[in-house]
Amino acid sequence: MELEHSHSPQDIETRLKNGPSVSYLRDWVYGGIDGAVTTFAIVAGSLGAQLPSSVVLILGLANLLADGFSMAAANYTGTKTEIDDFRRLRLIEEKHIRLAPEGEREEIRQIFRTKGYRGAELETLTAIITSRKSTWIETMMQGEYGLSSVQRSPVKAASSTFAAFALCGSLPLLPYALGLPSSDMIAVVLTALAFFGIGSAKSRWSTQGWIRSGLETTLIGMTAAAIAWAVGAGLHAAFGTTL
């Protein structure tokens, strides 16, 4: 069985020195799926309402830019809030260690007691961890709050979301922008392929097979599109050209 990385002392030292990598996979997946879903939902709803292709294109482009920016801004704000909250909690722990060190040592002791350490081994481990302030604080952040010291960049998170949203969301609009015949059917096929591609790609970072992951994402996306088409068709049947 092939190993994922080398375990030579030099390679381990280099890997640990560089630190853990920050993943923006969820931002790409979230942005890509939402971009394809919302844009194609507008396309499907417009088609259900039997709107002209020019209107479909205008509404789709407006959604692509406005909703894409909105998602990116929300992701930026949310990620920045997580970082601010991490800093707030870290300051609290620094204050507690300064003002109530024995209480904080007891927290370390109980954190590792829940992990199965007992007796002299537990006391030695507590003494080692609390002998270095940085290690002490990092252990408290992980053990008490479940937070890692590895922080994601708000700019990179937002950029990843917007890029994926714009890329995948533009596919349903492509046949209308090019004025292709049978644009409706081409848009359906391109969107389904986008969903399947996103689902298949994300399976690389999961234990789920690429075909199953692709089909699952496609089903979710096309279900949203079908709902939008049904709403548009229903409104058109009820109100016709008075809308």
Side-chain angles (χ1 to χ4, degrees):
M1 182 179 295
E2 184 179 353
L3 296 176
E4 283 72 16
H5 51 248
S6 169
H7 285 79
S8 69
Q10 183 177 1
D11 289 340
I12 292 175
E13 180 182 0
T14 300
R15 190 164 60 250
L16 294 178
K17 184 178 180 180
N18 293 334
S21 59
V22 179
S23 174
Y24 296 94
L25 172 64
R26 73 176 187 181
D27 305 289
W28 279 94
V29 172
Y30 183 45
I33 291 177
D34 198 74
V37 166
T38 57
T39 306
F40 186 64
I42 288 177
V43 171
S46 301
L47 294 178
Q50 298 184 22
L51 298 178
S53 297
S54 59
V55 175
V56 173
L57 185 59
I58 292 171
L59 293 176
L61 286 174
N63 171 80
L64 194 65
L65 297 177
D67 200 15
F69 177 80
S70 175
M71 281 194 62
N75 198 3
Y76 174 88
T77 304
T79 305
K80 189 173 183 299
T81 301
E82 289 179 352
I83 294 175
D84 292 340
D85 188 50
F86 179 89
R87 291 172 178 169
R88 179 185 66 85
L89 293 173
R90 185 180 177 91
L91 288 174
I92 290 175
E93 290 305 314
E94 290 177 353
K95 177 182 176 181
H96 288 181
I97 288 174
R98 184 175 68 255
L99 300 179
E102 289 307 316
E104 291 297 305
R105 285 191 180 90
E106 179 60 24
E107 288 186 2
I108 291 291
R109 185 177 291 110
Q110 294 198 25
I111 286 173
F112 283 93
R113 183 177 291 124
T114 62
K115 298 180 185 294
Y117 294 94
R118 296 289 186 277
E121 186 180 41
L122 175 61
E123 294 305 318
T124 300
L125 185 57
T126 300
I128 291 174
I129 291 175
T130 57
S131 66
R132 293 180 62 89
K133 185 178 178 181
S134 59
T135 303
W136 191 349
I137 293 174
E138 287 180 6
T139 304
M140 291 301 302
M141 294 297 289
Q142 294 175 358
E144 188 172 2
Y145 303 108
L147 298 175
S148 171
S149 58
V150 179
Q151 299 294 309
R152 288 159 25 93
S153 165
V155 174
K156 290 182 179 179
S159 300
S160 298
T161 297
F162 184 81
F165 188 99
L167 178 63
C168 297
S170 63
L171 291 179
L173 302 177
L174 190 60
Y176 298 99
L178 298 177
L180 299 177
S182 303
S183 294
D184 301 347
M185 182 57 63
I186 296 175
V188 172
V189 173
L190 287 177
T191 304
L193 289 175
F195 288 138
F196 188 82
I198 294 169
S200 299
K202 72 182 179 67
S203 69
R204 179 182 177 184
W205 292 273
S206 71
T207 57
Q208 194 175 40
W210 68 273
I211 294 180
R212 180 179 177 182
S213 180
L215 291 176
E216 180 183 83
T217 305
T218 302
L219 177 62
I220 293 172
M222 298 309 287
T223 298
I227 293 172
W229 181 89
V231 171
L235 290 174
H236 178 77
F239 300 101
T241 57
T242 62
L243 284 176

